[in-house]
Amino acid sequence: MRAALEPGVAAVSGRRASENAPRPRAGRWKKVLYERQPFPDNFVDGSFLEELRKNIYVRQYRFWTVVCESSVVIHQLSSVCVFVVLWWYMDQSHLSPHRLFTYGLLLSLFGYLTFDVIDSGAGRNLSGRTRWADLKTTVVFVTFTYGFAPILKTLTESISTDTIYAMSVFMLLGHLIFFDYGANAAIVSSTLSLNMAIFASVCLASRLPSSLHAFVTVTLAIEVFALWPMFQKKLKAITPRCYLVVTLIFTLAAVLGVLTVSLTGAVLFALLLLAVALLCPHYLIKLQSSKDNIHGPWDEAEIKEDLSRFLG
């Protein structure tokens, strides 16, 4: 029996000897993948958080710079108000469509010539378009719009007026949401924004007295929501000070236009503009101190060398 127990005792003694034997000392952990190390895959040493950096790419804003940049939003809000006020003038017979079309045509011609002077012909040379081509495009657009005006007038007559007004409000809000204010965001869509504004103009045109009113309303929408923003964008790029002056005058005209319709509406609109111009920039700058973006060795690798020589 003693002989039978001897192998078990020998095994236990061997296990204890192996446990008490000195273990080989582990080497220093290295942040490499090509070398086998005596550490688990999720192991990190004490130097892992030494490379932690916070808010290294935070942009520092200045109050008046942000206020000036908010002029793009103010300009577009004023454009929507000007369009609605002019439509209301025609609906209430305070403004004839002939006079509005004449004024709009003269202002568009003045803006076209001013745009050409500001741009110094650079955009025309780049696109290869001539003034004759622009004139033909204008004539074709005016002709087709005038020809389809009776259809536009009766297109939504079967829909109730309340529904038309609700659709117009939502379309104009969508125009403001998707408009290109200069931000690189996925929600920006100039085409969708313009289409929603034109659809709102078609809806509102169906509630006017005649086909001529519908034609002038759609033409006005093109001038306000397509041509005017292009002119303002070019003016801002070339002469920012003139852009701010024009935006200020245009905004004051919009507030006065709303004032002729409703005192309450003018006050609310002015408060909205002040909130966009002053309150929102103030909170934007104030909230910058609450940012807590962290960067460290867990970030994705970035190639900072110039690799153009390998792509030639």
Side-chain angles (χ1 to χ4, degrees), residues 4-309:
L5 293 175
E6 286 180 355
V9 173
V12 172
S13 300
R15 188 182 303 112
R16 289 179 178 177
S18 62
E19 292 177 354
N20 295 329
R23 296 181 178 180
R25 188 174 181 180
R28 182 180 176 82
W29 177 78
K30 301 178 181 179
K31 191 173 63 173
V32 294
L33 296 177
Y34 53 82
E35 182 178 336
R36 184 180 297 277
Q37 303 182 69
F39 301 99
D41 294 339
N42 60 347
F43 175 81
V44 291
D45 67 349
S47 64
F48 183 72
L49 294 179
E50 291 180 358
E51 301 181 27
L52 174 65
R53 300 292 183 270
K54 291 185 177 181
N55 301 332
I56 59 177
Y57 299 116
V58 172
R59 181 179 176 183
Q60 300 296 329
Y61 295 97
R62 294 184 178 182
F63 178 75
W64 290 111
T65 303
V66 180
V67 170
C68 293
E69 292 298 326
S70 67
S71 60
V72 182
V73 183
I74 294 174
H75 160 75
Q76 206 57 30
L77 290 172
S78 301
S79 298
V80 172
C81 281
V82 167
F83 173 78
V84 174
V85 167
L86 292 177
W87 171 86
W88 184 85
Y89 280 167
M90 286 196 297
D91 184 52
Q92 299 297 318
S93 300
H94 297 330
L95 179 64
S96 66
H98 300 86
R99 181 177 298 178
L100 180 59
F101 178 75
T102 303
Y103 290 161
L105 186 62
L106 292 176
L107 289 175
S108 298
L109 180 60
F110 175 76
Y112 175 81
L113 296 177
T114 306
F115 184 93
D116 224 14
V117 171
I118 294 174
D119 190 50
S120 301
R124 186 179 305 282
N125 296 332
L126 185 62
S127 61
R129 289 185 60 87
T130 61
R131 292 186 178 88
W132 176 245
D134 294 339
L135 179 61
K136 290 192 296 184
T137 302
T138 304
V139 172
V140 169
F141 167 77
V142 172
T143 303
F144 271 87
T145 305
Y146 185 78
F148 283 102
I151 300 176
L152 298 177
K153 172 68 175 63
T154 59
L155 187 62
T156 57
E157 277 190 348
S158 59
I159 305 176
S160 65
T161 302
D162 293 339
T163 304
I164 287 295
Y165 289 160
M167 290 171 58
S168 301
V169 169
F170 281 113
M171 290 299 105
L172 291 176
L173 286 176
H175 164 74
L176 293 173
I177 292 173
F178 295 105
F179 185 78
D180 185 8
Y181 298 103
N184 187 15
I187 196 174
V188 174
S189 177
S190 300
T191 304
L192 178 60
S193 176
L194 179 59
N195 287 336
M196 296 181 81
I198 299 302
F199 181 74
S201 69
V202 172
C203 291
L204 293 175
S206 65
R207 292 305 178 262
L208 294 176
S210 66
S211 300
L212 181 61
H213 287 78
F215 162 70
V216 174
T217 301
V218 176
T219 305
L220 176 66
I222 294 296
E223 293 170 348
V224 173
F225 299 120
L227 302 181
W228 180 238
M230 292 174 56
F231 177 79
Q232 287 288 86
K233 185 176 181 180
K234 178 61 67 174
L235 191 64
K236 182 182 179 182
I238 303 298
T239 56
R241 293 185 178 179
C242 292
Y243 164 77
L244 292 177
V245 173
V246 172
T247 301
L248 180 60
I249 296 174
F250 185 70
T251 302
L252 292 176
V255 174
L256 292 177
V258 178
L259 182 61
T260 59
V261 177
S262 170
L263 175 61
T264 305
V267 172
L268 293 177
F269 181 59
L271 291 177
L272 174 62
L273 295 180
L274 289 176
V276 172
L278 300 177
L279 193 61
C280 292
H282 170 72
Y283 275 104
L284 174 65
I285 295 176
K286 185 178 180 180
L287 292 176
Q288 292 300 306
S289 59
S290 302
K291 277 194 172 182
D292 195 16
N293 296 334
I294 59 175
H295 303 270
W298 52 83
D299 292 340
E300 296 181 0
E302 297 181 4
I303 300 176
K304 297 183 179 180
E305 295 183 2
D306 185 12
L307 302 181
S308 58
R309 61 182 183 275

